[in-house]
Amino acid sequence: MKRYLKNKSLTIEKILSHGFSALIFIFLYAPIGIVILFSFNSSRRNIVFEDFTLKWYVEMFSNEALLDSFFTTLIIASASTLIAAVIGTLTAIAMFRYKFKGKTMIDALLYVPMVIPEIVLGISLLSSFALAHVPLGFISLIIAHATFSIPFVVFTVKARLSGFDRSLEEAAMDLGANRIRVLTGITIPVILPGIISGAALAFTLSIDDFIISFFTTGASTITFPLKVMESVRSGIRPDVYALSTLIMLATFSAVMITQILSYVKSKKEKPAY
């Protein structure tokens, strides 16, 4: 009898555990599923699903304003990611390699852009651009996105550097390599996964940003998040859903490819015994 009650208790616990996991996944992915579903809706009004169609994926390419905002977002994200990756990597290496006065304070200050509300950072950047007479538009958006992305690159690269064996650099310098050769030939290749991770994070944050872009953009430069928010006032067109679905598909594919490459690499590095 006791064994029967114990098995029954374990079964109920297992069912509750699976049910709770299913609810979490529904909560996370149901909104994404709705966007994908309504990108195939024949009705322009996204209230009731009427019929299946692919016309919004075709009309999406004739919506020049939407495509322009998307390509603007890609250019700004690419440029700001490149700047953040270079500055963030060099900062992380300097913080890891050298000891100097105020290092602890600088390390703490790097957290500030990551933790303060985005609206505060947006207003601060807007005031800075006004004082420096920087026109709002492409350049201000790239600078703003690079500013809030740099700390993420710094801390990602620093995490990679924490396990770095500095004897490799010392051995190379003993063999005659100068500092530039050591940096490009040893340090950068070893911490490259951290740099790529930080750059990917910076790119994602830039693509997704709305609040800081809202404060630092000009009248002629509209990013994709700003365009979507602008269309909310008059009702989101289904071709916005179609483009969003393609972006999600590309993101999902990139994540899957990264996971597969990581799995293949770990299998190759795993000892044969």
Side-chain angles (χ1 to χ4, degrees):
M1 185 66 180
K2 286 183 178 178
R3 189 175 179 181
Y4 169 75
L5 291 174
K6 187 178 179 181
N7 290 337
K8 190 173 182 181
S9 175
L10 287 173
T11 304
I12 293 173
E13 187 179 333
K14 199 173 180 180
I15 291 172
L16 289 175
S17 175
H18 288 177
F20 185 67
S21 301
L23 283 175
I24 290 175
F25 276 98
I26 291 171
F27 181 76
L28 288 175
Y29 291 102
I32 296 174
I34 290 171
V35 170
I36 296 172
L37 176 67
F38 279 100
S39 70
F40 299 105
N41 188 10
S42 61
S43 172
R44 183 180 288 271
R45 296 187 310 159
N46 293 304
I47 301 173
V48 179
F49 190 88
E50 293 184 355
D51 200 5
F52 180 86
T53 182
L54 291 173
K55 70 176 182 180
W56 303 116
Y57 287 87
V58 177
E59 290 198 11
M60 177 188 75
F61 292 101
S62 60
N63 190 339
E64 292 186 7
L66 181 65
L67 292 179
D68 284 346
S69 68
F70 178 64
F71 288 123
T72 299
T73 301
L74 286 181
I75 294 169
I76 290 170
S78 301
S80 63
T81 298
L82 181 63
I83 295 170
V86 173
I87 296 176
T89 300
L90 294 177
T91 304
I93 292 173
M95 297 285 287
F96 171 75
R97 183 173 294 172
Y98 302 109
K99 293 181 180 178
F100 51 88
K101 285 185 179 179
K103 180 180 175 180
T104 305
M105 182 177 289
I106 292 174
D107 198 34
L109 288 174
L110 282 170
Y111 283 99
V112 174
M114 299 172 67
V115 296
I116 63 172
E118 282 192 68
I119 192 167
V120 176
L121 185 58
I123 293 171
S124 303
L125 287 166
L126 177 61
S127 302
S128 303
F129 291 142
L131 287 172
H133 301 290
V134 176
L136 296 182
F138 236 92
I139 301 300
S140 63
L141 278 171
I142 291 173
I143 295 172
H145 285 210
T147 301
F148 69 73
S149 298
I150 286 172
F152 291 94
V153 178
V154 171
F155 290 113
T156 307
V157 176
K158 276 182 69 179
R160 182 70 181 178
L161 280 166
S162 62
F164 182 69
D165 186 2
R166 295 196 62 183
S167 63
L168 294 173
E169 292 182 334
E170 293 169 359
M173 294 182 76
D174 288 342
L175 293 172
N178 57 29
R179 289 190 180 277
I180 300 297
R181 178 62 180 157
V182 170
L183 178 68
T184 57
I186 295 178
T187 309
I188 297 294
V190 171
I191 65 173
L192 189 59
I195 298 173
I196 293 173
S197 299
L201 186 58
F203 187 81
T204 306
L205 290 170
S206 177
I207 288 279
D208 186 49
D209 180 74
F210 168 75
I211 298 175
I212 294 174
S213 299
F214 179 79
F215 284 98
T216 56
T217 189
S220 60
T221 309
I222 303 294
T223 62
F224 181 65
L226 291 173
K227 186 67 182 174
V228 172
M229 187 55 68
E230 182 183 279
S231 65
V232 167
R233 297 169 188 166
S234 57
I236 300 178
R237 288 165 50 96
D239 52 357
V240 173
Y241 288 161
L243 182 55
S244 301
T245 300
L246 292 180
I247 292 172
M248 283 189 280
L249 183 63
T251 306
F252 180 76
S253 301
V255 171
M256 289 301 296
I257 290 171
T258 305
Q259 292 296 318
I260 291 170
L261 291 176
S262 177
Y263 175 76
V264 171
K265 186 179 178 184
S266 64
K267 290 286 286 182
K268 286 182 179 177
E269 292 177 350
K270 192 175 180 179
Y273 59 85

